[in-house]
Amino acid sequence: MPLKKTYTIAETQAAIDRADNANINQMRMVRNDISNQHFSQKNIKPKHRDKSLPQDLQYPGAKDVGHVFRHVNGTHEAGKSIYKDKQTAILATRAVLNATEGQQALQALENELTTRTTYDNMTKRVRVDVSAGNHYGSDDNGKTWKKVIIAQCELLSLGETLWVHSSYPRTLQT
């Protein structure tokens, strides 16, 4: 299934749910070259990796987890820009994916499928004007709600499967 396509609400939610609180590195390969003790660490020192493997197959550790819902009112961390609710996060993310800029980023991810190394976690960051929709967010922990003008997503892929690592309001109406 191609990464570049028009996303439905259900497909967008599935891409967000897939990544939510999960680490992409732990999904990419079955590990047998490091100890269980090291598996969940964020950065595994090279001396603890299996040096008999090519470097791009040496497990680097469990980096940051997918966290769209860390940017949603009620599940957010203090200081983060947030969407009013989960439905708003999904709809704004869908708007980003289906915009020209989002489609270009998805095409770039698709083009890299044959050349990307296993643990290449370079996200495609996409900023899109979503002001045509009715998406509301806050930059003051939900004290005031303003229309989202620009939303930003960080996209990765597990093969031909989209992984929405993060999505959040970037610019709010003044």
Side-chain angles (χ1 to χ4, degrees), residues 2-174:
L3 291 168
K4 182 184 175 191
K5 64 179 191 165
T6 301
Y7 282 83
T8 66
I9 293 170
E11 290 167 329
T12 303
Q13 182 169 356
I16 291 169
D17 289 343
R18 183 178 302 116
D20 188 41
N21 217 16
N23 178 274
I24 198 165
N25 283 346
Q26 293 177 335
M27 308 289 263
R28 287 196 168 145
M29 286 180 64
V30 175
R31 305 302 324 154
N32 65 357
D33 63 327
I34 57 167
S35 70
N36 287 341
Q37 169 189 351
H38 292 115
F39 186 70
S40 63
Q41 290 180 349
K42 288 200 183 273
N43 290 302
I44 297 175
K45 294 178 183 176
K47 70 180 181 181
H48 296 298
R49 300 181 195 169
D50 185 346
K51 291 170 190 44
S52 67
L53 294 174
Q55 186 170 358
D56 65 337
L57 296 180
Q58 294 178 16
Y59 184 66
K63 306 294 185 193
D64 190 24
V65 297
H67 60 272
V68 171
F69 295 136
R70 271 195 248 163
H71 293 280
V72 172
N73 186 38
T75 58
H76 69 284
E77 294 177 9
K80 292 195 176 287
S81 60
I82 57 174
Y83 293 112
K84 189 164 183 90
D85 52 35
K86 284 186 175 186
Q87 187 67 18
T88 301
I90 294 164
L91 293 174
T93 301
R94 179 177 180 250
V96 171
L97 294 176
N98 291 334
T100 302
E101 300 90 334
Q103 291 292 298
Q104 289 169 346
L106 291 164
Q107 184 64 61
L109 274 176
E110 199 169 307
N111 293 344
E112 293 173 1
L113 286 176
T114 58
T115 59
R116 186 182 315 128
T117 59
T118 299
Y119 296 116
D120 176 1
N121 290 325
M122 291 301 297
T123 60
K124 300 296 179 203
R125 291 189 176 164
V126 185
R127 291 181 187 168
V128 171
D129 181 337
V130 295
S131 61
N134 289 315
H135 313 298
Y136 287 86
S138 175
D139 56 5
D140 61 6
N141 287 321
K143 292 176 187 160
T144 58
W145 296 102
K146 301 174 186 171
K147 190 168 186 173
V148 178
I149 303 300
I150 305 287
Q152 179 167 318
C153 288
E154 295 181 24
L155 310 173
L156 294 162
S157 71
L158 282 169
E160 294 181 351
T161 305
L162 180 61
W163 178 281
V164 178
H165 185 77
S166 183
S167 175
Y168 51 92
R170 182 76 186 182
T171 305
L172 301 172
Q173 193 171 41
T174 53

